[in-house]
Amino acid sequence: MAIPHKLWCFVLIILPHFISIIFADEYDTYIIHMDASAMPKAFSTHHNWYLTTLSSISNTHTNTIKPTTTLSSSSSSSKLIYTYTNAINGFTALLSPSELRSLANTPGFLSSTRDATVKRDTTHSNQFLGLDDDHGVWPTSHYGHDVIIGLVDTGIWPESRSFGDAGLGPIPSRWKGACESGTQFNFSLCNNKLIGARSFNKGLLAKYPNITIAMNSARDTDGHGTHTSSTAAGGAVEGADYFGYAPGTARGTAPGARVAMYKALWDEGSLLSDIIAAIDQAIADGVDVISISLGIDGTPLYADPIAIAAFAAMEQGIFVSTSAGNEGPFLATLHNGTPWVLTVAATTIDREFHGAVVLATGASITGQSLYPGNSSATELPLIFPKSCTDAKSLINLKNRDIIIVCVDTNFTLSDQLYNTGDLKIAGAVFITNTTDITFYTQTSFPAVFLNLEKGSEILNYINTSSQPKASLSFKQTSLGTKPAPRLTSYSSRGPSPSCPVVLKPDLTAPGDQILAAWPSNSSVTQLKSGEIYNDFNIISGTSMSCPHAAGVAALLRGTHPTWSPAAIRSAMITTAGFLDNTGYPIADLGLDNLPATPIDMGAGQVDPNRAIDPGLVYEAGRDDYVRLMCAMNFTGKQIQTVTRSSNYSCSNASLDLNYPSFVAFFRVHDGRDSGAREMRRTVTNVGGGRAVYAAKVTVEGGLNVTVSPESLEFERENEKKSFVLRVEDPRLVKNNSIVYGALSWIESNGNRVVRSPIVVTTISPDDLLPHG
Ligand SMILES: *[C@@H]1O[C@H](CO)[C@@H](O)[C@H](O)[C@H]1NC(C)=O
Ligand SMILES: *[C@@H]1O[C@H](CO)[C@@H](O)[C@H](O)[C@H]1NC(C)=O
Ligand SMILES: *[C@@H]1O[C@H](CO)[C@@H](O)[C@H](O)[C@H]1NC(C)=O
Ligand SMILES: *[C@@H]1O[C@H](CO)[C@@H](O)[C@H](O)[C@H]1NC(C)=O
Ligand SMILES: *[C@@H]1O[C@H](CO)[C@@H](O)[C@H](O)[C@H]1NC(C)=O
Ligand SMILES: *[C@@H]1O[C@H](CO)[C@@H](O)[C@H](O)[C@H]1NC(C)=O
Ligand SMILES: *[C@@H]1O[C@H](CO)[C@@H](O)[C@H](O)[C@H]1NC(C)=O
Ligand SMILES: *[C@@H]1O[C@H](CO)[C@@H](O)[C@H](O)[C@H]1NC(C)=O
Ligand SMILES: *[C@@H]1O[C@H](CO)[C@@H](O)[C@H](O)[C@H]1NC(C)=O
Ligand SMILES: *[C@@H]1O[C@H](CO)[C@@H](O)[C@H](O)[C@H]1NC(C)=O
Ligand SMILES: *[C@@H]1O[C@H](CO)[C@@H](O)[C@H](O)[C@H]1NC(C)=O
Ligand SMILES: *[C@@H]1O[C@H](CO)[C@@H](O)[C@H](O)[C@H]1NC(C)=O
């Protein structure tokens, strides 16, 4: 089976707890959350407190269970792998199970997470988003000038032209970061664009002491981090392309922003402890935006280290953009469904990459292809075998100078590709209706992918011709594809398993077939002739949409330096576009092109030029998120783990977060739930002065949704007004179903529309909560 690997979103898998029971005597690394306020006054620093705590548990317990590794005699300082100060209060340490149990009884211990490894699961995209040199947010924000975007990723290729610093002023003086030298990485490689480069692998080395890190520096040997960084903030590079596809000027979403790379994902493995260390340092260094194209599946908020570290970032005013994941189109598959971050789905843009089958009759049939090589398939016989799935039926093909035609009717495309790829034939035509076509088009041999309709043309020709022949041609790029955007099939869907009462994903951004920078020394793909290299690559996934959204956040931060992360997120959500370029609702490739719902894509596709001037924003801060966690019945220790503080109050617990979207859960119609749901929101006027807004509600299915008051009048900037959105008992909503709507605040005598999705469902949130 050929496993498609063109989808980029790293997923962390927490290994089941039983593994640590089987290896009862084995040391392992644990991330420990501590209550900083419990530190005895005798200690001058947390670091010293942690060291002393660790040595106390080793002294008392080395005699109870004899460790099997040679690490039994390790001192407390060698046990302590990281001390964290910003992202979480706590540390990572190498502990035996008995030591962990002892630690859990020491004063100040809150919770622990076993360190876990990570499983790897152009330019034009910005024009498609409406970014323009002459109008809108690019000139207004000076391209995100002086905003600092930190990325937690596989590193960076500093020589890439996308990280050239021509035209950029000096590094902002508030920057406290550094450019660390290491293997093939001299600090002098940083410049006024790439202002920080650090790497984190103590957790990896503690867990796997035997491994050798081949590239022990921030240099990227994978490509993912170079691609995401240049997508977010790459400078302009003329003459970029991918072997003739997508030619043009490559440019990131915030081309004036600065880049800081925090490498925590390694070819040798990637661990949670290193990712937290990266975020911890990014907070200390003073980044404005963090982009994290990875996530942890199936973990409650209080045990998700990325959610916890992002909470600290949020408190420092840092905007955190995350990827929803690539597990769609199934419901409740997303990760990073955290109320204090932005969660981004992935859509297509209005660009396609084509190859053509030119029949001997002269007719040309166009399909999708991203084959990067030079085709020699000219005037060759078209062969249509019984099956392309079965290797044996194909292996007898004596003449390899043929173009084989394969029909995929039931999800056999990857087998067909694997099978035909081994045949050394001149070319192939795949007729398929798969919705995930971009998984497959970057083939190692000449291949064109046709839909069923176009495929029937070629099949008819084969049937009616005694000697069917054709040629293949490649490297065509078409712009203006309609409809676009469309939600990709693989984009992970809501509701958020870790917090179903807050609508996730928040919005969508371009993620499909995105051209961005790539390390010169990492192959972009493999051809029959060997690996091939290029300074740009085209890849797909929510890993690619996340840095687009991070770039938009940087543009907003550059324009409105005082806005909170919640205000920036609100501006992006309430101005997102829900119609495509044909004027119809954005279609869902994963669901027969039916309209994508808010559970699938949130509010719609981010629209930077409208987000810059949203009119009203929904604010939320630390205390609002605490009230939410209280109402989710988190324990005190769980809340302290997230907030890193014991100074919080649960007296006003509420699931009703002041969020720019609405989710109302109803029980089934058994007579017990005839009530209504009321959701209270407060909006802040950021439109500049006097303004009047009128509510407009659109809902499906006979729901009765009312807004009170129906009109909001503002006298001045930053004035707040509250309203209540009430959903009456939705008798028409069937059991286990979801209906959708929207609330729009429409400015009188103005252009602003502040739109929020509404989701009303009879699916119980308990069915979605991991512990429920
Ligand atoms: C790093 O760069 C500096 C300044 O360009 C240079 O003096 C130094 O020799 C370089 N170090 C290495 C190890 O290449
Ligand atoms: C480390 O390498 C040594 C020698 O090659 C081997 O005996 C040992 O099992 C390895 N340890 C681990 C944890 O892989
Ligand atoms: C394709 O042909 C062009 C022009 O002859 C050449 O520069 C390029 O290297 C070839 N590409 C590959 C992948 O062989
Ligand atoms: C197209 O694909 C769907 C699955 O996505 C399948 O159910 C359907 O039968 C296919 N249509 C044809 C004509 O093969
Ligand atoms: C589709 O799948 C079924 C079950 O695996 C198989 O019996 C059938 O032959 C397949 N059809 C084609 C055209 O491959
Ligand atoms: C081609 O001909 C075969 C046999 O004559 C027939 O079964 C098949 O439906 C035809 N296919 C097309 C696409 O016309
Ligand atoms: C890239 O690869 C070439 C050839 O293997 C090597 O000489 C060069 O040092 C590498 N460059 C970097 C920056 O790693
Ligand atoms: C929290 O606990 C209360 C009291 O037991 C219960 O009514 C409520 O449904 C729980 N909330 C959640 C989100 O589980
Ligand atoms: C405790 O939290 C409240 C509410 O966030 C805040 O006003 C107060 O300053 C905090 N007190 C301390 C000692 O941090
Ligand atoms: C709880 O809400 C009430 C009424 O809105 C408010 O007066 C009070 O200050 C709030 N308490 C806390 C701890 O936030
Ligand atoms: C919904 O489910 C409940 C119990 O599960 C049942 O009593 C009720 O009739 C169902 N309602 C509808 C509209 O199907
Ligand atoms: C809708 O709800 C409002 C507010 O509760 C109520 O006044 C109104 O009568 C309801 N309308 C319908 C058609 O049920």
Side-chain angles (χ1 to χ4, degrees), residues 162-174:
S162 294
F163 307 120
D165 64 357
L168 287 180
I171 295 170
S173 57
R174 64 200 156 85

PDB file of all heavy atoms in Angstrom, residues 162-174:
ATOM      1  N   SER A 162      13.388  33.238   0.254  1.00  0.00           N
ATOM      2  CA  SER A 162      12.200  33.752   0.950  1.00  0.00           C
ATOM      3  C   SER A 162      12.566  34.424   2.269  1.00  0.00           C
ATOM      4  O   SER A 162      11.776  35.193   2.813  1.00  0.00           O
ATOM      5  CB  SER A 162      11.223  32.609   1.232  1.00  0.00           C
ATOM      6  OG  SER A 162      10.704  32.102   0.027  1.00  0.00           O
ATOM      7  N   PHE A 163      13.749  34.096   2.804  1.00  0.00           N
ATOM      8  CA  PHE A 163      14.150  34.696   4.067  1.00  0.00           C
ATOM      9  C   PHE A 163      15.227  35.765   3.876  1.00  0.00           C
ATOM     10  O   PHE A 163      15.950  36.122   4.811  1.00  0.00           O
ATOM     11  CB  PHE A 163      14.620  33.612   5.055  1.00  0.00           C
ATOM     12  CG  PHE A 163      13.590  32.511   5.216  1.00  0.00           C
ATOM     13  CD1 PHE A 163      13.882  31.196   4.904  1.00  0.00           C
ATOM     14  CD2 PHE A 163      12.301  32.824   5.638  1.00  0.00           C
ATOM     15  CE1 PHE A 163      12.923  30.194   5.020  1.00  0.00           C
ATOM     16  CE2 PHE A 163      11.332  31.827   5.746  1.00  0.00           C
ATOM     17  CZ  PHE A 163      11.638  30.513   5.436  1.00  0.00           C
ATOM     18  N   GLY A 164      15.331  36.285   2.678  1.00  0.00           N
ATOM     19  CA  GLY A 164      16.184  37.445   2.440  1.00  0.00           C
ATOM     20  C   GLY A 164      15.592  38.650   3.161  1.00  0.00           C
ATOM     21  O   GLY A 164      14.382  38.725   3.371  1.00  0.00           O
ATOM     22  N   ASP A 165      16.452  39.617   3.540  1.00  0.00           N
ATOM     23  CA  ASP A 165      15.933  40.728   4.350  1.00  0.00           C
ATOM     24  C   ASP A 165      15.990  42.073   3.643  1.00  0.00           C
ATOM     25  O   ASP A 165      15.940  43.115   4.290  1.00  0.00           O
ATOM     26  CB  ASP A 165      16.650  40.791   5.702  1.00  0.00           C
ATOM     27  CG  ASP A 165      18.137  41.100   5.572  1.00  0.00           C
ATOM     28  OD1 ASP A 165      18.631  41.211   4.426  1.00  0.00           O
ATOM     29  OD2 ASP A 165      18.783  41.222   6.625  1.00  0.00           O
ATOM     30  N   ALA A 166      16.073  42.043   2.299  1.00  0.00           N
ATOM     31  CA  ALA A 166      16.121  43.305   1.560  1.00  0.00           C
ATOM     32  C   ALA A 166      14.911  44.160   1.926  1.00  0.00           C
ATOM     33  O   ALA A 166      13.778  43.683   1.954  1.00  0.00           O
ATOM     34  CB  ALA A 166      16.130  43.026   0.063  1.00  0.00           C
ATOM     35  N   GLY A 167      15.167  45.412   2.241  1.00  0.00           N
ATOM     36  CA  GLY A 167      14.076  46.348   2.504  1.00  0.00           C
ATOM     37  C   GLY A 167      13.550  46.311   3.924  1.00  0.00           C
ATOM     38  O   GLY A 167      12.695  47.129   4.277  1.00  0.00           O
ATOM     39  N   LEU A 168      14.025  45.380   4.742  1.00  0.00           N
ATOM     40  CA  LEU A 168      13.538  45.331   6.118  1.00  0.00           C
ATOM     41  C   LEU A 168      14.445  46.162   7.017  1.00  0.00           C
ATOM     42  O   LEU A 168      15.672  46.095   6.909  1.00  0.00           O
ATOM     43  CB  LEU A 168      13.506  43.890   6.637  1.00  0.00           C
ATOM     44  CG  LEU A 168      12.412  42.990   6.075  1.00  0.00           C
ATOM     45  CD1 LEU A 168      12.530  41.598   6.683  1.00  0.00           C
ATOM     46  CD2 LEU A 168      11.035  43.570   6.365  1.00  0.00           C
ATOM     47  N   GLY A 169      13.842  46.889   7.933  1.00  0.00           N
ATOM     48  CA  GLY A 169      14.608  47.699   8.872  1.00  0.00           C
ATOM     49  C   GLY A 169      15.260  46.824   9.926  1.00  0.00           C
ATOM     50  O   GLY A 169      15.188  45.590   9.874  1.00  0.00           O
ATOM     51  N   PRO A 170      15.913  47.474  10.890  1.00  0.00           N
ATOM     52  CA  PRO A 170      16.599  46.710  11.937  1.00  0.00           C
ATOM     53  C   PRO A 170      15.626  45.874  12.764  1.00  0.00           C
ATOM     54  O   PRO A 170      14.419  46.122  12.774  1.00  0.00           O
ATOM     55  CB  PRO A 170      17.264  47.791  12.791  1.00  0.00           C
ATOM     56  CG  PRO A 170      16.559  49.057  12.446  1.00  0.00           C
ATOM     57  CD  PRO A 170      16.065  48.924  11.048  1.00  0.00           C
ATOM     58  N   ILE A 171      16.165  44.896  13.461  1.00  0.00           N
ATOM     59  CA  ILE A 171      15.365  44.015  14.306  1.00  0.00           C
ATOM     60  C   ILE A 171      14.699  44.851  15.405  1.00  0.00           C
ATOM     61  O   ILE A 171      15.349  45.699  16.022  1.00  0.00           O
ATOM     62  CB  ILE A 171      16.285  42.934  14.924  1.00  0.00           C
ATOM     63  CG1 ILE A 171      16.843  42.038  13.816  1.00  0.00           C
ATOM     64  CG2 ILE A 171      15.547  42.117  15.973  1.00  0.00           C
ATOM     65  CD1 ILE A 171      17.931  41.101  14.260  1.00  0.00           C
ATOM     66  N   PRO A 172      13.387  44.638  15.635  1.00  0.00           N
ATOM     67  CA  PRO A 172      12.702  45.418  16.683  1.00  0.00           C
ATOM     68  C   PRO A 172      13.459  45.319  18.013  1.00  0.00           C
ATOM     69  O   PRO A 172      13.894  44.236  18.407  1.00  0.00           O
ATOM     70  CB  PRO A 172      11.332  44.748  16.774  1.00  0.00           C
ATOM     71  CG  PRO A 172      11.113  44.109  15.441  1.00  0.00           C
ATOM     72  CD  PRO A 172      12.469  43.719  14.943  1.00  0.00           C
ATOM     73  N   SER A 173      13.622  46.434  18.681  1.00  0.00           N
ATOM     74  CA  SER A 173      14.498  46.470  19.859  1.00  0.00           C
ATOM     75  C   SER A 173      13.946  45.642  21.013  1.00  0.00           C
ATOM     76  O   SER A 173      14.687  45.224  21.891  1.00  0.00           O
ATOM     77  CB  SER A 173      14.683  47.924  20.304  1.00  0.00           C
ATOM     78  OG  SER A 173      13.412  48.497  20.557  1.00  0.00           O
ATOM     79  N   ARG A 174      12.621  45.382  21.014  1.00  0.00           N
ATOM     80  CA  ARG A 174      12.058  44.594  22.115  1.00  0.00           C
ATOM     81  C   ARG A 174      12.420  43.110  21.996  1.00  0.00           C
ATOM     82  O   ARG A 174      12.168  42.330  22.913  1.00  0.00           O
ATOM     83  CB  ARG A 174      10.534  44.741  22.134  1.00  0.00           C
ATOM     84  CG  ARG A 174       9.860  44.182  20.903  1.00  0.00           C
ATOM     85  CD  ARG A 174       8.451  44.754  20.694  1.00  0.00           C
ATOM     86  NE  ARG A 174       8.092  44.669  19.300  1.00  0.00           N
ATOM     87  CZ  ARG A 174       7.559  43.600  18.722  1.00  0.00           C
ATOM     88  NH1 ARG A 174       7.295  42.530  19.434  1.00  0.00           N
ATOM     89  NH2 ARG A 174       7.276  43.589  17.439  1.00  0.00           N
TER      90      ARG A 174
END
